[in-house]
C-alpha cells in the first residue's frame, strides 16, 4: 500500500503543477519477475516517476513508453520477454526468466476515480477492489477502474468475480468477452496500510516509529508525558496522543490491520492500557520485555477479574518481535516490524532458501 500512497501524493502534487501523467501497471507475469501484477509506477510528462514496476531494469524504457501514452492519449500494452534477445539488446535485461506485460494509460487529472479510490482507502481504511482490463491483441483496453465503476460495463461475470474477490479477500484473473474485444481482467484486492500504535515515547521507540513509517505503515505515538510525546521528537508521525489509557483508547481506530506495541517502561501504564484493551478486539499487541513481565501483567489482570480468552492470548505477543538476535533499539525495531508483518500476512517466518513453494503465490 505504501507504493499506492506515494502515487496518490505524487498525483496530487503533479496535478497542482498541471502536469500530464501516465500510469504503468504490471498486469500479467509468466514465469519469474522482480515485481508481480499490481505493481505500479506514475510518470509525469517531464520525466519524473514514483513507484516501481521492476528492480530498476524496466523503468528507463517504461519512461519512454509512458511519454508516448501521454502524447497520444491512448492506452498501450507492452510486453517484455526475457527470452527475447532483442530485449537484451535494448538494454532491458530483466534478470528474471519471465514475460512481463505492462499496461500504460494516460490519466485524466480533472476527474480520476482511480486516484479517488486510493484516497478513500487511506482515509477510511476500508479495503478496495481495482479492476484492470487489457487485450493482448492490442485492441481497446479497459484500463484501471474502481470496482464500483465496472457497473457501467454490465457484464455479470465481472460483477460475480468482484464479489468473490471481496468475500475471499484474494485477487484473481478472469477472461471476458466485451464490446472492446476479449479482455483479460485482473481483479485486485487492496488492503489499507498497517496502523502501528506505539505506546511509549522514549528514545527506543524512535527507530520503531521511523521503521514503520519507512515500510509505509501509519504511525501513532501514545504516551502520558507531553514532554516525550510531541512533534519535536516525532516530527513525521501520523498521530501523537497524550493521555491516560482510558482517555486515549477511544481516540484510536483499531481494526484487523492495527498493531499495538506496549513499550513505555512503565509497568502501571502498560497494565492500564492492557486493561483498557480487555473489552476490545485486537489483532496484535506486542509487549516489550521478558516473558516474566508478560506473565505478571496477565496474572495481575486475572486477579482483577480480567481473564483474557484463548483467542485474545494468541494475539498477545510477549516478548514482542522475532528471534533475530536483536540488541540495539534499531535491531529490536526490525524484529518487531518483521513479526508484525508476518502476523498481518498470515505467514510463518522461514528462510526463503528453505521454502519449497514459489516466493509469490500464483493468482
Amino acid at each position: 500500500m505504501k507504493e499506492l500512497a506515494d502515487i496518490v501524493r505524487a498525483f496530487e502534487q503533479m496535478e497542482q503543477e498541471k502536469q500530464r501523467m501516465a500510469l504503468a501497471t504490471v498486469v500479467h507475469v509468466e514465469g519469474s519477475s522482480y515485481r508481480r501484477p499490481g505493481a505500479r509506477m506514475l510518470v509525469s510528462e517531464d520525466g519524473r516517476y514514483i513507484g516501481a514496476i521492476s528492480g530498476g531494469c524496466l523503468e528507463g524504457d517504461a519512461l519512454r513508453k509512458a511519454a508516448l501514452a501521454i502524447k497520444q492519449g491512448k492506452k498501450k500494452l507492452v510486453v517484455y520477454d526475457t527470452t527475447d534477445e532483442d530485449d537484451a539488446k535494448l538494454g532491458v535485461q530483466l534478470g528474471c526468466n519471465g514475460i512481463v506485460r505492462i499496461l500504460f494509460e494516460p490519466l485524466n487529472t480533472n476527474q480520476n476515480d482511480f486516484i479517488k479510490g486510493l484516497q478513500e482507502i487511506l482515509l477510511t481504511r476500508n479495503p478496495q477492489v481495482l479492476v484492470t482490463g487489457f487485450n493482448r491483441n492490442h485492441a481497446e483496453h479497459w484500463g484501471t477502474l474502481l470496482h464500483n465503476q465496472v457497473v457501467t460495463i454490465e457484464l455479470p461475470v465481472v460483477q460475480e468475480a468482484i464479489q468473490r474477490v471481496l468475500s475471499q479477500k484474494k485477487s484473481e484473473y478472469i477472461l471476458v468477452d466485451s464490446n472492446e474485444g476479449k479482455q483479460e481482467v485482473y481483479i485486485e484486492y487492496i488492503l489499507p496500510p498497517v496502523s502501528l500504535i506505539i505506546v511509549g515515547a522514549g528514545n527506543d521507540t524512535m527507530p520503531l516509529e521511523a521503521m514503520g513509517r519507512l515500510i509505509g505503515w501509519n504511525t501513532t505515538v501514545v504516551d502520558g508525558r507531553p514532554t516525550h510525546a510531541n512533534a519535536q521528537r516525532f516530527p513525521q508521525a501520523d498521530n501523537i496522543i497524550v493521555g491516560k489509557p482510558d482517555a486515549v483508547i477511544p481516540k484510536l481506530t483499531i481494526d484487523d490491520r492495527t498493531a499495538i506495541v506496549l513499550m513505555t517502561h512503565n509497568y502501571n501504564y502498560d497494565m492500564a492500557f492492557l486493561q483498557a484493551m480487555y473489552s476490545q478486539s485486537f489483532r496484535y499487541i506486542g509487549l516489550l520485555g521478558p516473558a516474566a513481565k508478560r506473565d505478571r501483567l496477565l496474572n495481575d489482570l486475572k486477579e482483577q477479574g480480567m481473564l483474557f480468552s484463548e483467542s485474545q492470548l494468541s494475539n498477545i505477543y510477549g516478548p514482542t518481535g522475532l528471534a533475530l538476535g536483536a540488541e540495539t533499539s534499531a535491531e529490536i525495531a526490525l524484529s518487531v516490524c518483521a513479526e508484525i508483518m508476518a502476523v498481518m500476512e498470515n505467514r510463518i517466518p522461514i528462510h526463503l532458501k528453505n521454502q519449497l513453494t514459489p516466493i509469490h503465490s500464483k493468482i
Side-chain angles (χ1 to χ4, degrees):
M1 186 61 207
K2 179 182 186 301
E3 190 168 73
L4 292 177
D6 290 342
I7 285 175
V8 168
R9 285 189 288 269
F11 179 92
E12 293 169 345
Q13 177 63 36
M14 293 173 184
E15 186 177 36
Q16 291 180 359
E17 298 172 3
K18 308 298 182 184
Q19 286 280 323
R20 294 186 297 172
M21 291 166 271
L23 183 70
T25 304
V26 177
V27 292
H28 193 263
V29 170
E30 295 176 29
S32 62
S33 80
Y34 186 82
R35 296 301 306 271
R36 307 302 296 172
R40 292 179 173 86
M41 180 174 77
L42 181 70
V43 181
S44 66
E45 62 182 323
D46 62 3
R48 288 174 291 164
Y49 69 92
I50 191 76
I53 52 174
S54 75
C57 43
L58 284 184
E59 277 68 9
D61 188 69
L63 287 173
R64 293 187 288 271
K65 297 296 193 301
L68 185 62
I70 293 171
K71 182 179 179 180
Q72 295 179 342
K74 293 177 61 176
K75 303 181 185 73
K76 181 178 179 63
L77 184 71
V78 177
V79 181
Y80 295 96
D81 187 348
T82 58
T83 64
D84 187 342
E85 293 184 359
D86 286 339
D87 276 351
K89 291 175 184 176
L90 288 170
V92 174
Q93 300 177 354
L94 298 181
C96 298
N97 187 23
I99 300 172
V100 184
R101 290 178 174 84
I102 298 177
L103 182 65
F104 295 86
E105 48 188 319
L107 295 183
N108 177 4
T109 60
N110 295 322
Q111 186 178 6
N112 193 278
D113 290 331
F114 161 67
I115 296 295
K116 290 178 181 177
L118 298 183
Q119 291 169 330
E120 181 181 339
I121 299 176
L122 297 174
L123 289 173
T124 66
R125 296 189 55 77
N126 293 325
Q128 183 64 270
V129 171
L130 295 181
V131 178
T132 306
F134 63 99
N135 190 313
R136 293 196 194 193
N137 296 323
H138 301 281
E140 292 295 319
H141 308 285
W142 285 356
T144 305
L145 305 166
L146 293 178
H147 73 271
N148 54 11
Q149 290 178 283
V150 183
V151 295
T152 60
I153 298 175
E154 297 181 351
L155 291 173
V157 65
V158 179
Q159 299 299 329
E160 292 167 4
I162 289 172
Q163 293 307 312
R164 280 198 307 274
V165 168
L166 284 168
S167 62
Q168 297 175 8
K169 301 180 180 180
K170 184 179 179 181
S171 305
E172 70 172 74
Y173 274 101
I174 61 172
L175 196 60
V176 176
D177 287 317
S178 73
N179 294 333
E180 292 79 16
K182 194 176 292 292
Q183 296 283 317
E184 293 184 47
V185 184
Y186 177 47
I187 304 174
E188 182 182 5
Y189 186 75
I190 298 179
L191 288 167
V194 170
S195 173
L196 175 62
I197 299 173
I198 303 169
V199 183
N203 291 345
D204 60 340
T205 66
M206 291 177 175
L208 180 58
E209 190 278 329
M211 192 167 296
R213 188 166 23 83
L214 177 65
I215 297 171
W217 298 350
N218 292 336
T219 60
T220 297
V221 177
V222 173
D223 201 293
R225 302 165 294 176
T227 54
H228 287 64
N230 56 59
Q232 286 71 39
R233 288 169 55 79
F234 298 91
Q236 297 186 63
D238 293 289
N239 200 10
I240 299 173
I241 304 176
V242 179
K244 295 181 179 180
D246 56 354
V248 165
I249 288 180
K251 299 177 182 179
L252 300 173
T253 298
I254 300 173
D255 54 32
D256 62 359
R257 297 279 290 171
T258 299
I260 301 169
V261 183
L262 303 184
M263 48 192 308
T264 64
H265 301 284
N266 182 320
Y267 183 85
N268 290 331
Y269 194 99
D270 284 354
M271 187 171 72
F273 199 97
L274 200 56
Q275 179 180 14
M277 288 299 300
Y278 176 71
S279 60
Q280 300 279 333
S281 175
F282 52 86
R283 180 81 177 276
Y284 181 103
I285 293 181
L287 305 177
L288 186 71
K293 177 185 176 182
R294 173 203 64 204
D295 294 341
R296 181 186 170 193
L297 281 167
L298 294 175
N299 286 332
D300 285 350
L301 291 172
K302 182 180 178 180
E303 290 179 359
Q304 297 179 29
M306 297 182 182
L307 182 61
F308 284 87
S309 67
E310 288 299 319
S311 175
Q312 287 177 313
L313 289 174
S314 68
N315 292 333
I316 295 177
Y317 294 79
T320 181
L322 298 182
L324 303 180
E327 291 288 344
T328 67
S329 296
E331 292 171 346
I332 292 170
L334 174 63
S335 75
V336 172
C337 287
E339 181 176 64
I340 292 171
M341 186 172 178
V343 170
M344 294 298 169
E345 298 298 327
N346 297 310
R347 298 295 185 96
I348 298 175
I350 63 171
H351 292 289
L352 284 177
K353 71 174 185 178
N354 297 330
Q355 183 168 308
L356 301 179
T357 57
I359 296 174
H360 301 286
S361 59
K362 291 185 178 180
I363 299 173

